[in-house]
Each structure stands twice: as C-alpha cells, then as structure tokens.
Amino acid sequence: MKTIIEPFRIKMTEPLKITTREEREDALIRANYNVFTIDAENCALDLLTDSGTGAMSTEQWAAMMLGDESYAGSRSWKRFESTIWDITGIDNIFPTHQGRAAEAILAECILQPGDIVPNNSHFDTTRANIQYRGCTALDLPCPEAYDTAKESPFKGNMDINQLHRCIEEHGPEKIPFCMITVTNNTGGGQPVSMANIKAVRKVLDIYKIPLIIDACRFSENAYFIHEREKGYQDRSLLSIAQEMFSLADGATMSCKKDGLANIGGFLVCRNNEWAERFRNLLILREGFPTYGGLAGRDQEAIAVGLREGLEYDYQVYRHATVEYMAQRLVKIGVPLVLPAGGHAVFLDAKKMVPHIDSLDYPGIGVVNALYLAGGIRAVELGSVMFGRRDDEGQEHPSPLELVRLAFPRRVYTQSHFDYMIEVIDEVWQHRNEIPGYRITQQPKLLRHFTCHLEPKG
Ligand code: F0G
C-alpha cells in the first residue's frame, strides 16, 4: 500500500514563528504557566483545538464571494438550508453563530429547572447550558470508555442499561430530551455505532423521549461506522450520516468542526411546536431566522464545507494523520487512549508521569513540558478542567488525566507531525523531570481558561 497523501496542495501559506527554548520559558512564565493565555503566534504548532482552526478549500473561498448579505431569505441561506436538509432530512433549520448558541436555544426553550438530560458524554458548553437552566447533565458512557488502553471499536457508545435505569429512576416527564454526542469528544473522540444510536432510540421510543444528536463531528463518526461496523462498507458517508440523523428528532451542530468552517453552527428539529419556540428566541438572541448568527458568506462556506467533510478521501487522509501519530507514539511507548479518536490524540498523563499526584495536575505538567520542548500547545483534560470541589472546599480529582492534541483540519503536513512526534519523544525521555503544579489564582467557573499556576518544588 502506498503512502496516504494529503488530498490537496497548498496555494497560500501562513508563516510559523520558530521560537527558542528561552523565549518559550519566558512566554510560559508570563502566561502564569497556563498555555491558554500564551499568544497564538508563540505556539508554532497549535493543537489546542480542532474547532474553527481548519483551512478552507478554494471552493469554499470562491463560494464566499457569492455571499448574499440580504437580511431575509438570501440565496446563501437557501444553499445553507438545502445542504443541511439533504444531510439531515430535518425540516426546521436554524442558523446560529456556533454550537453553543444552538445548545443555549434548545436548553432555554425546552428545559425546566430540575430536569435531567442524559448523554453519552456532555461537552462542557452543553453541560454548562443545561446546568444554567437549573438542570442536571448526566453522562452515561459505556463502561469501556474509562479504560484508556482497551481497544474497542465504539468506545463512544452510550450505556443502554444505565439509560433504562436513569429513565426508570427519574421518570420520563423529567427528561424532555436525551442527547448523543458523535463522536464523543470528552470521551476521547471515540465513535458511536449505528447499532448504539438505534438501541438508544428504541429505549426512548418506549417513553416517547426525543433524541437530539450533538453532531459536531458527525462526518468523522460516519467514517468510523463505514470502517468498523458490519454492513456499512458499501455505503457513502453521506448515506450513513442520513441514516444517523433519521434516528433523531433534532440536532445541535458546531460547523467549526465537520462544517470545515471558521465559525458557524445550526439547530434543527422535527417538532413544529419546538420550532416555533426556537424561532422566537433565535430572533431575540442571534438574528432573523434565515441568517441567525451568520453572514451570508459564512453560510456559503459552510454549505460547501459540510459536503467536503463527507468526502471519503478527505476522511481517509484525516484519519491517517491521527493514526500516523498514534502508532508512532505507541512504538515509542507513550501511553495514550486507544484506539485513537477521530480528531485528536489523547495522551494518558496519569500513566506518563505517575510520580505526580492527580491534585498536582499531571496533565498540566505534560502540557507545559510539550510547550517548552517544542512550542506545541495542547490542552489538559483532567483535574484542572474537570476537578470538583465539595461543600467543604475539598478538591476531588477527575477520573482521567488526559492531554488532548487536537488536529486542525487540513492545516499541518506530515513533517509537522514528525516534528511533534520528536518533541513528544523528548518529553517522554525526560518525563521524570516534569514537575507537578499548584494553582495560585482561579475564578469560580471554568477555571482552566484563566487560572494561574506555578511549578511545585
Ligand atoms: N459539542 C461538542 C461535542 C464540542 O466538541 C463543542 C466544541 C461544542 C459542542 C460547542 O461548539 O465551540 O461551536 O460553541 N468543542 C471545541 C473543542 C471548543 O475544543 O473541543 P462551539
């Protein structure tokens, strides 16, 4: 088999600033050891997120020039709407400025204080939007989701027994909808099988509970189903995506991921009464229903991007980059979540630096070491992001201490990945020198973005 090549060539470049170790040490100190607050230009390889950080294609840039900026009923809206309709088959379509705006409208229109929303794993903005309404966001991932080394094909699945139990315990009237996130971002970017979505649907049908898909990475999920689930090998990714959405009553979407755009999102639903409520709130919060939070040119870029994300060769290449990095790291012996996810490689910091206690933040130790060694910006998904304080102020660690290296779409080439592997190898060889950290200053909510840290000892 020949090398899988990038199915594009480059016609516009953006310089990367190559920094010295001294410059990076200085930048990290000025950022109070929190990479979120380092200037992007000082992060040569920025793997903080795959959200809105992708490169658009010539077709997308060309489509932007066709942007129709009419307030109501523009041609760009028509193209945006018909593309989403083709993929989802859902009639009521609302453009939003990004995924969390769709979540906020859904939560504000449908939830009452005290309600429960199950999901395989909620993303943090989804959880926050649900909690903001005085409700509970419940994670019900399958048991193997917590075993980082277990090679199982659909570790993003929901635990069907737990879903049953949750509905029996709380009663269907307390659960206005259930969600399923494809792929499961917080669970390591792991896919959900079609069989699992069908099983969730079957349970919900008994109780007449609607199913909402968090569709941010639906094309990557469709690709995994094509590769790993029996009976889907001859199907196009579009038809697999259509089948996934056919099982849902609605969806929230961040087009900054599989829309291959730098901004944008949408909310869709089948229920016309829900749609009426969404429309009213959309006008209040985002904009007139045919543009929502978006310029016409953004709608054009998204309409093209959604289709490009479903191209098989694009997904083959994307998955090959993730696998390339994961396989080489396995060879070196670096512990990571296996199998590799759809949009990122997740290092297992707990196993990488076992000398650092969870409450001394091993994930931060690894993130900062990666930055110092090679200007790579990653993100901690561990006790700083998910740690919990009880009523006495006692801190409880997160069950997993992961470091996410998220891959922007169509941005980095193989030599960039080779360099990243060399940097991770260097960090791995010197892992015993990595210090733990303490937090010296933190806000009440979402502390990972802005807290100040310092190395211990
Ligand atoms: N749902 C999932 C599964 C996500 O991963 C994200 C964003 C959102 C919803 C919210 O979408 O950012 O457009 O408002 N995830 C990004 C990340 C930020 O880095 O994983 P948004």
Side-chain angles (χ1 to χ4, degrees), residues 382-446:
S383 291
V384 172
M385 192 181 278
F386 300 124
R388 193 175 55 77
R389 269 170 192 243
D390 62 24
D391 296 339
E392 278 87 55
Q394 182 71 31
E395 203 169 312
H396 296 273
S398 151
L400 294 176
E401 302 291 342
L402 302 180
V403 169
R404 185 181 79 171
L405 300 152
F407 292 22
R409 292 168 181 78
R410 307 189 289 205
V411 169
Y412 295 117
T413 63
Q414 187 164 347
S415 66
H416 291 123
F417 287 106
D418 285 333
Y419 170 85
M420 290 179 219
I421 293 158
E422 288 162 17
V423 171
I424 297 168
D425 190 14
E426 186 183 318
V427 167
W428 174 241
Q429 300 309 329
H430 295 91
R431 59 192 178 276
N432 294 333
E433 298 155 29
I434 296 175
Y437 282 80
R438 75 168 66 85
I439 294 179
T440 55
Q441 197 177 306
Q442 59 182 308
K444 272 213 173 78
L445 285 175
L446 299 172

Side-chain angles (χ1 to χ4, degrees), residues 247-371:
L247 297 162
D249 298 283
T252 54
M253 173 72 187
S254 168
C255 298
K256 301 171 76 172
K257 284 86 168 173
D258 280 350
L260 301 185
N262 301 118
I263 194 72
F266 60 78
L267 172 63
V268 294
C269 73
R270 295 188 197 280
N271 180 321
N272 293 334
E273 196 266 314
W274 279 24
E276 189 55 33
R277 290 193 242 169
F278 294 165
R279 194 171 295 115
N280 291 332
L281 193 59
L282 188 83
I283 294 170
L284 204 63
R285 296 269 196 274
E286 295 280 294
F288 188 76
T290 64
Y291 73 83
L294 296 171
R297 56 180 169 272
D298 293 328
Q299 293 185 316
E300 295 280 356
I302 292 165
V304 176
L306 285 167
R307 291 200 186 278
E308 289 181 351
L310 286 166
E311 282 170 13
Y312 185 69
D313 288 343
Y314 158 73
Q315 286 294 343
V316 168
Y317 137 77
R318 175 144 177 87
H319 192 68
T321 59
V322 178
E323 271 303 305
Y324 179 80
M325 175 119 128
Q327 289 314 321
R328 272 162 184 73
L329 294 180
V330 166
K331 233 186 223 158
I332 298 167
V334 179
L336 47 129
V337 177
L338 291 170
H343 65 294
V345 164
F346 292 72
L347 307 180
D348 188 337
K350 218 184 228 181
K351 291 187 186 160
M352 253 181 112
V353 284
H355 61 281
I356 305 178
D357 186 75
S358 278
L359 292 180
D360 293 335
Y361 314 126
I364 295 291
V366 173
V367 165
N368 288 349
L370 290 171
Y371 181 72

Side-chain angles (χ1 to χ4, degrees), residues 48-51 97-101 103 121-126 181-186 214-217 252-257 264-265 343 404 406:
L48 191 64
T49 178
D50 64 320
S51 182
H97 78 276
Q98 60 183 86
R100 66 198 69 184
E103 295 161 4
S121 300
H122 288 277
F123 181 65
D124 55 10
T125 58
T126 327
T181 304
V182 298
T183 56
N184 186 349
N185 181 9
T186 22
D214 177 338
C216 297
R217 298 179 181 83
T252 54
M253 173 72 187
S254 168
C255 298
K256 301 171 76 172
K257 284 86 168 173
H343 65 294
R404 185 181 79 171

